[in-house]
Amino acid sequence: MKRVDTMNDTQVTLFNTGLPMMVIGILAVVVPRLLVQKATRSHLVVAIGMILACVTMAVLSAGVFFLFDNRSYETLIGAGGYVLALEFLIEASWKAVILWAPLILLTWLSLAQRVERLRGQDLAERNSL
């Protein structure tokens, strides 16, 4: 007797789970570094950049799931409209927070250390004159 699983017929594979998580992880490290000026000496600029990075990552995560998900969005749109499809993508995007939030925090720490290093260099140059 063949078992039919009607609740969840989607299998977890490298393409539909592993690859999107790798892409989201890479984006979580790259996006904050692109949003914060390299030569900034302001922690406020870094904090604002991190807030923007979180919003950007939420949108990018939804886009990554849209690209890699093999479910039929036409069926979802037909069943509940565009709002349901968008709600589904947003929900999937926020589930990815468990992956990208720690990476954003580690990147924030790295950028804050860079700010302090640059401030220290500026102070050393002023005191040596």
Side-chain angles (χ1 to χ4, degrees):
M1 180 178 203
K2 185 178 178 183
R3 180 175 175 248
V4 178
D5 187 6
T6 58
M7 292 296 286
N8 187 5
D9 60 351
T10 304
Q11 295 180 354
V12 174
T13 64
L14 178 65
F15 183 75
N16 72 4
T17 304
L19 194 56
M21 291 295 122
M22 286 187 277
V23 169
I24 289 170
I26 291 168
L27 286 172
V29 173
V30 172
V31 167
R33 293 184 181 279
L34 292 175
L35 292 175
V36 176
Q37 300 170 1
K38 196 169 188 169
T40 188
R41 271 106 169 130
S42 170
H43 286 289
L44 180 62
V45 170
V46 173
I48 291 170
M50 292 302 107
I51 292 168
L52 290 173
C54 289
V55 172
T56 303
M57 282 307 302
V59 172
L60 289 176
S61 295
V64 167
F65 283 119
F66 177 75
L67 291 175
F68 286 97
D69 198 354
N70 60 358
R71 287 174 261 203
S72 173
Y73 284 99
E74 292 85 22
T75 305
L76 191 61
I77 290 170
Y82 289 103
V83 174
L84 181 63
L86 186 59
E87 181 182 322
F88 179 79
L89 283 172
I90 290 170
E91 181 182 335
S93 170
W94 282 112
K95 288 179 183 177
V97 169
I98 197 166
L99 170 69
W100 59 257
L103 294 172
I104 292 273
L105 290 173
L106 288 172
T107 305
W108 190 346
L109 176 63
S110 171
L111 292 172
Q113 288 175 336
R114 183 172 67 190
V115 166
E116 289 302 318
R117 188 185 75 244
L118 291 173
R119 284 180 173 183
Q121 287 174 353
D122 291 345
L123 186 62
E125 287 175 7
R126 262 185 280 158
N127 289 338
S128 67
L129 295 176

